[in-house]
C-alpha cells in the first residue's frame, strides 16, 4: 500500500512537470531539477539527432575585444511563446522556438572595455507571472536579469520592453555597500530567484584581493515595484546567530564575501529561498576570521517574506580552500524508505553530495565530523574537523601521492612526481602553506556551477565532475610585489592586509597535462534513495585541446551541467571538446554526440514545440578555460518522421 501511494505521488510529480509544457526557469523548474517530461527522444532514436537551427548573437563582431574576457554560460528559458536567453554582455534575446528566428532583443548597454573580475557572464534570466495582473497586460509575465554592472532589470516577457513600474524605468541599481577597487569587482552572473512575489539576487565578487571586501549580501525586492523588501548578510547574521562562529574581535566588521554567486532555488509552496553561499574573504587565509564562519560555505534556507533564516547547513568549516558551495541546491523528492521525502541535494567542489531534509536541513544520510590535517600557516585558526557524509561516497578522488603521478612520458611523469613530493599533500583539507599545498580536487571542483540533474521517477541524481589539482602557496605579504613582478602572468593575489599573499597554479606536467591520472572529467549517476553510485562515464576527450585531434577517453575538466528527460536520456556539453553529448540515463552509455561550432561550456535545455522535441545549448566557449570562443545558440531535433 505504501509503495502504491509512493508510485501515485511520483506519477503526480511527473504529470505536473509534463503539464507545464515549457522550460520556464534556468534549472527547468524553480527548484533546479533540470528534468523534462519530454519523451520523444529516447536511447533508441537519439543517434538520429541532427541540427535543427543555429542562431548567432553577433558578439564575435560587435564585442570582439570583450569576447576575450567572456564565457557564454547561458541556458535559455521557454516562456510566453519564445525561447529567451542572455548573452555574456546581458543582452536578452527572444527566438522563435521552432526556427531560431529572432523575435525581439533588449540591450542594457554594458560599456565596452568594462572589465569584470569574473569575466563577462550571464547564466540566465528568470520568469515570473503576476497572478494579480490581467493576462494580456504589459509585464503580466516578466523576465528578471542581473547584470555584470550590478543592475536588476525587469522586462515584459512577450515584447522585451522594460517594466517601467519596476524600480526606475525597469531597473534597480544594486549598491554593493562600499567603495569598489574598480567597477568590475562586484557583479551579478546568475539568474535571480522568485517566490511569493519577491525577487532575490546574489552577487559575484572578485576573490583574494583584500579582507575588507564587499559583503555577500543577498537582496530582496518586490517583484512588481522593485522596492527593497529585506537583505540577508551571511557574515553579520552569522555573528548574531552563531557568536562562537565569529568570536568577538574577529573580522565580522570588515571581512566580506560569503556571497551567493551560483544560482539559488525557490520553493513557492513553502515560501523559501535556498542559498548556496561561498567562503568569506580572503579565500586562502582565515587568521582574521576565527571560528567556523557560519553562514558561509552553507546551504541557507530563508523565509521569502522576511529573509529570516529557517535553517542552515555548513558544508565546510572555516574555509581556507575556496571550497564555495558552487551549485544551485536541487529541490528533489526522493523515494526514502518507501515514501516520498522532500529534500535538498547539494553537490560540492569537494565531490561530496549532501542530502538534507527540505523543512529542517537535517542530513538524511549521516554526516560525521572527522579530524582533518592541521598545522596551518602562522596566525591561522583551522577547524579540527570537517563534515563528511557517510553516503553517497565522494564522486572524485581526494588524495594524490607522488607515486600516483601521471605523465604521457616517463620524463613528465617524473617531473609530476617531484612536484607532488615537494609540497604538502595529505589529502582533502590539507591547509595552505608557504611550502605549497596540493588542493585536490582543485578550486574548480568536483562539481561546480553546472549543478546536477534529477530524475524523480528513479530518485537518480546526475552530476558532472572535474578531476584536477591546484598548488596553493602562501607568500609573506612583504614579498608580494617582488613575487608579482617576477611572475606577472601567474595568479598571485595580495589578500591584503593579512600577513600572507597567495599564489595559485594548476598542477600540470611540462606537457601542460594534469599530473593526476585520467579520467579528468566524469558523469556520475547517484541513487539518492540508497546513497550508492549507479554508474560512472568518462566525459570528454582532448580532441579540441591537443595540437592534433586525438580522441583518447581521458575526460576533461568541464564547466556546465546536465539535464535529464523522461525519455531516459541525459544531455550534457560542459567538456573542453566542442560537443553536446547524450548518455543513457539507465546505464551511462554514451549514445550520441553532436558537433558544436564553439565550446559548449553551458547547461543545455529541452522543450517540445509543435509536437517536436528540441535540445538547445549555447556554444560560445570559455575564455579562461581556453576553449573555442563563439556566439552561437544551437538546437538539435529528430528529423521529421523519426
Amino acid at each position: 500500500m505504501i509503495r502504491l501511494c509512493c508510485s501515485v505521488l511520483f506519477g503526480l510529480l511527473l504529470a505536473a512537470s509534463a503539464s507545464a509544457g515549457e522550460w520556464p526557469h534556468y534549472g527547468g523548474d524553480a527548484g533546479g531539477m533540470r528534468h523534462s517530461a519530454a519523451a520523444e527522444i529516447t536511447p533508441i532514436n537519439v543517434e538520429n539527432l541532427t541540427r535543427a537551427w543555429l542562431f548567432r548573437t553577433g558578439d564575435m563582431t560587435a564585442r570582439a575585444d570583450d569576447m576575450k574576457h567572456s564565457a557564454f554560460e547561458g541556458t535559455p528559458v521557454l516562456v510566453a511563446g519564445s525561447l529567451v536567453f542572455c548573452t555574456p554582455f546581458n543582452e536578452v534575446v527572444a527566438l522563435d522556438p521552432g526556427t531560431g528566428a529572432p523575435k525581439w532583443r533588449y540591450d542594457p548597454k554594458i560599456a565596452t572595455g568594462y572589465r569584470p573580475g569574473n569575466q563577462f557572464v550571464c547564466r540566465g534570466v528568470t520568469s515570473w507571472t503576476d497572478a494579480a495582473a490581467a493576462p494580456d497586460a504589459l509585464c503580466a509575465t516578466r523576465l528578471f536579469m542581473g547584470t555584470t554592472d550590478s543592475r536588476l532589470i525587469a522586462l515584459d516577457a512577450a515584447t522585451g520592453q522594460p517594466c517601467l513600474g519596476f524600480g526606475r524605468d525597469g531597473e534597480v541599481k544594486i549598491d554593493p555597500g562600499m567603495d569598489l577597487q574598480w567597477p568590475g569587482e562586484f557583479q551579478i552572473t546568475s539568474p535571480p530567484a522568485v517566490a511569493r512575489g519577491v525577487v532575490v539576487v546574489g552577487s559575484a565578487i572578485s576573490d583574494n584581493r583584500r579582507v575588507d571586501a564587499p559583503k555577500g549580501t543577498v537582496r530582496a525586492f518586490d517583484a512588481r515595484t522593485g522596492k527593497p523588501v529585506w537583505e540577508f548578510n551571511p557574515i553579520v547574521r552569522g555573528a548574531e546567530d552563531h557568536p562562537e562562529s565569529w568570536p568577538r574581535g574577529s573580522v565580522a566588521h570588515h571581512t566580506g564575501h560569503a556571497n551567493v554567486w551560483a544560482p539559488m532555488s525557490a520553493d513557492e509552496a513553502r515560501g523559501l529561498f535556498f542559498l548556496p553561499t561561498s567562503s568569506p574573504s580572503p579565500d586562502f587565509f582565515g587568521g582574521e576570521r576565527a571560528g567556523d564562519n557560519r553562514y558561509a560555505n552553507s546551504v541557507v534556507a530563508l523565509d521569502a517574506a522576511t529573509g529570516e533564516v529557517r535553517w542552515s547547513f555548513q558544508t565546510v568549516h572555516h574555509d581556507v580552500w575556496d571550497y564555495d558551495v558552487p551549485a544551485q541546491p536541487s529541490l528533489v523528492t526522493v523515494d526514502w524508505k518507501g515514501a516520498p521525502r522532500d529534500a535538498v541535494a547539494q553537490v560540492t567542489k569537494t565531490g561530496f553530495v549532501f542530502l538534507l531534509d527540505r523543512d529542517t536541513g537535517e542530513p538524511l544520510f549521516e554526516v560525521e565530523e572527522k579530524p582533518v590535517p592541521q598545522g596551518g600557516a602562522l596566525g591561522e585558526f583551522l577547524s579540527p574537523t570537517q563534515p563528511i557524509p557517510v553516503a553517497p561516497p565522494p564522486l572524485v578522488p581526494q588524495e594524490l601521492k607522488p607515486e600516483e603521478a601521471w605523465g604521457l612520458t616517463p620524463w613528465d611523469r617524473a617531473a609530476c612526481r617531484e612536484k607532488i613530493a615537494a609540497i604538502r599533500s595529505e589529502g582533502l583539507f590539507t591547509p595552505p602553506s608557504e611550502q605549497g599545498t596540493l588542493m585536490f580536487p582543485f578550486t574548480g571542483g568536483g562539481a561546480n556551477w553546472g549543478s546536477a540533474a534529477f530524475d524523480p521517477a528513479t530518485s537518480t541524481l546526475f552530476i558532472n565532475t572535474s578531476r584536477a589539482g591546484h598548488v596553493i602557496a602562501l607568500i609573506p605579504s612583504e614579498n608580494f610585489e617582488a613575487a608579482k613582478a617576477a611572475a606577472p602572468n601567474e595568479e598571485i593575489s595580495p589578500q591584503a592586509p593579512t600577513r600572507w599573499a597567495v599564489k595559485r597554479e594548476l598542477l600540470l606536467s611540462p606537457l601542460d597535462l594534469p599530473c593526476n591520472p585520467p579520467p579528468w572529467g566524469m558523469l556520475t549517476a547517484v541513487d539518492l534513495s540508497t546513497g550508492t553510485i549507479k554508474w560512472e562515464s568518462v566525459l570528454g576527450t582532448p580532441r579540441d585541446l591537443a595540437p592534433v585531434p586525438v580522441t583518447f577517453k581521458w575526460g576533461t575538466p568541464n564547466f556546465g551541467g546536465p539535464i535529464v528527460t523522461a525519455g531516459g536520456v541525459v544531455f550534457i556539453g560542459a567538456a573542453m571538446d566542442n560537443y553536446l553529448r547524450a548518455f543513457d540515463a539507465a546505464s551511462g552509455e554514451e549514445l550520441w554526440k553532436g558537433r558544436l561550432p564553439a565550446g559548449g561550456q553551458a547547461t543545455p535545455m529541452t522543450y517540445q514545440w509543435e509536437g517536436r522535441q528540441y535540445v538547445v545549448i549555447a556554444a560560445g566557449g570559455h575564455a579562461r578555460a581556453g576553449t573555442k570562443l563563439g556566439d552561437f545558440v544551437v538546437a538539435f531535433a529528430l528529423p521529421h518522421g523519426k
Side-chain angles (χ1 to χ4, degrees):
M1 185 69 171
I2 292 176
R3 183 66 66 176
L4 176 62
C5 176
C6 184
S7 298
V8 170
L9 286 170
F10 278 117
L12 290 172
L13 284 170
L14 290 171
S17 175
S19 66
E22 296 188 339
W23 188 281
H25 299 276
Y26 169 79
D29 65 289
M33 284 201 302
R34 292 168 178 77
H35 173 267
S36 170
E40 180 190 7
I41 301 169
T42 69
I44 295 174
N45 62 23
V46 68
E47 64 180 4
N48 297 318
L49 282 179
T50 58
R51 183 186 294 177
W53 52 257
L54 178 147
F55 175 81
R56 300 197 68 172
T57 68
D59 285 339
M60 286 295 287
T61 300
R63 309 279 306 223
D65 289 339
D66 291 330
M67 285 291 290
K68 300 171 187 175
H69 308 276
S70 73
F72 197 175
E73 298 177 357
T75 297
V77 297
L78 182 64
V79 64
S82 296
L83 194 68
V84 187
F85 66 94
C86 54
T87 74
F89 310 103
N90 294 116
E91 288 194 65
V92 183
V93 182
L95 305 179
D96 182 284
T99 66
K103 297 177 69 172
W104 56 258
R105 188 166 185 150
Y106 169 82
D107 184 0
K109 302 190 184 307
I110 304 296
T112 57
Y114 191 90
R115 285 294 171 264
N118 296 283
Q119 302 189 97
F120 288 100
V121 173
C122 180
R123 296 191 180 98
V125 299
T126 298
S127 68
W128 175 71
T129 298
D130 185 353
D136 58 349
L138 190 70
C139 294
T141 296
R142 59 186 61 188
L143 303 168
F144 294 105
M145 174 185 63
T147 69
T148 199
D149 60 1
S150 308
R151 289 176 278 165
L152 175 61
I153 294 175
L155 304 175
D156 176 58
T159 65
Q161 297 180 55
C163 298
L164 299 181
F166 182 85
R168 182 173 181 178
D169 298 329
E171 65 179 53
V172 173
K173 180 66 177 175
I174 305 297
D175 181 0
M178 62 183 298
D179 291 335
L180 301 178
Q181 289 191 337
W182 82 101
E185 185 182 11
F186 180 101
Q187 62 187 116
I188 304 169
T189 55
S190 288
V194 187
R196 304 216 174 164
V198 175
V199 54
V200 296
V201 64
S203 58
I205 306 170
S206 296
D207 291 334
N208 300 318
R209 299 187 65 89
R210 51 179 172 153
V211 170
D212 191 13
K215 289 181 171 25
T217 303
V218 173
R219 296 165 173 88
F221 302 90
D222 186 292
R224 296 182 180 89
T225 67
K227 292 181 178 179
V229 178
W230 49 258
E231 292 186 350
F232 171 73
N233 182 341
I235 292 174
V236 171
R237 294 291 286 277
E240 294 170 355
D241 296 351
H242 295 281
E244 78 288 352
S245 187
W246 300 90
R248 185 177 297 277
S250 75
V251 324
H253 293 296
H254 67 167
T255 284
H257 298 189
N259 54 310
V260 179
W261 60 265
M264 294 174 275
S265 293
D267 186 325
E268 179 74 20
R270 286 174 169 82
L272 292 179
F273 290 114
F274 297 87
L275 281 53
T277 64
S278 75
S279 58
S281 62
D283 285 341
F284 299 109
F285 180 69
E288 307 295 329
R289 47 177 173 84
D292 283 352
N293 304 154
R294 303 183 188 192
Y295 298 103
N297 301 91
S298 299
V299 182
V300 183
L302 298 184
D303 186 285
T306 65
E308 294 298 314
V309 176
R310 292 275 192 91
W311 58 258
S312 69
F313 179 87
Q314 189 171 52
T315 65
V316 178
H317 306 320
H318 190 81
D319 183 14
V320 290
W321 304 274
D322 193 19
Y323 280 152
D324 304 340
V325 181
Q328 182 177 21
S330 301
L331 306 190
V332 301
T333 300
V334 298
D335 182 359
W336 187 256
K337 298 180 180 179
R341 184 76 171 265
D342 288 349
V344 180
Q346 184 63 63
V347 299
T348 64
K349 290 184 179 183
T350 55
F352 292 129
V353 179
F354 294 93
L355 188 64
L356 311 172
D357 182 274
R358 203 183 305 177
D359 291 308
T360 66
E362 291 298 315
L364 298 188
F365 295 109
E366 183 182 359
V367 174
E368 299 177 340
E369 287 289 336
K370 290 192 173 182
V372 293
Q374 298 295 292
L378 182 65
E380 185 57 88
F381 296 94
L382 295 173
S383 172
T385 64
Q386 291 292 346
I388 309 296
V390 172
L395 305 185
V396 296
Q398 297 174 328
E399 184 177 20
L400 183 65
K401 299 177 181 178
E403 59 268 25
E404 296 171 320
W406 183 89
L408 198 58
T409 69
W411 165 68
D412 64 323
R413 189 178 310 123
C416 283
R417 188 164 53 245
E418 291 174 5
K419 278 188 175 184
I420 298 169
I423 59 178
R424 288 192 67 176
S425 180
E426 300 161 29
L428 187 65
F429 299 122
T430 304
S433 62
E434 194 171 0
Q435 172 188 353
T437 291
L438 174 62
M439 275 191 60
F440 189 65
F442 75 146
T443 61
N448 211 289
W449 58 264
S451 308
F454 180 73
D455 185 348
T458 62
S459 287
T460 303
L461 194 71
F462 303 91
I463 313 105
N464 55 299
T465 56
S466 299
R467 301 180 176 188
H470 264 135
V471 178
I472 305 298
L474 297 178
I475 301 168
S477 57
E478 62 269 21
N479 298 337
F480 166 71
E481 296 293 347
K484 189 69 174 174
N489 296 322
E490 297 188 25
E491 185 183 357
I492 302 175
S493 305
Q495 301 196 126
T498 73
R499 67 180 74 201
W500 298 107
V502 66
K503 178 180 180 181
R504 174 169 55 177
E505 59 182 337
L506 288 168
L507 180 65
L508 300 176
S509 76
L511 297 179
D512 284 336
L513 293 170
C515 283
N516 55 292
W520 300 314
M522 296 289 286
L523 179 65
T524 303
V526 175
D527 187 329
L528 289 185
S529 295
T530 62
T532 57
I533 293 176
K534 299 174 77 169
W535 52 256
E536 293 180 303
S537 291
V538 174
L539 178 61
T541 72
R543 186 216 186 280
D544 294 305
L545 297 174
V548 293
V550 294
T551 56
F552 300 126
K553 293 274 287 189
W554 287 345
T556 71
N558 44 86
F559 298 97
I563 64 170
V564 62
T565 72
V569 181
V570 177
F571 289 99
I572 186 168
M576 296 177 72
D577 54 4
N578 304 333
Y579 288 103
L580 174 67
R581 289 181 164 83
F583 292 82
D584 187 316
S587 69
E589 178 186 358
E590 184 178 321
L591 303 172
W592 168 87
K593 60 177 184 280
R595 188 71 173 154
L596 300 174
Q601 283 70 57
T603 301
M605 55 85 73
T606 188
Y607 58 92
Q608 287 183 307
W609 187 257
E610 297 180 347
R612 193 180 189 195
Q613 183 180 353
Y614 295 82
V615 183
V616 176
I617 188 168
H622 191 291
R624 285 185 180 170
T627 56
K628 183 179 178 181
L629 299 180
D631 55 8
F632 305 92
V633 177
V634 186
F636 294 91
L638 295 174
H640 288 288
K642 292 286 187 178

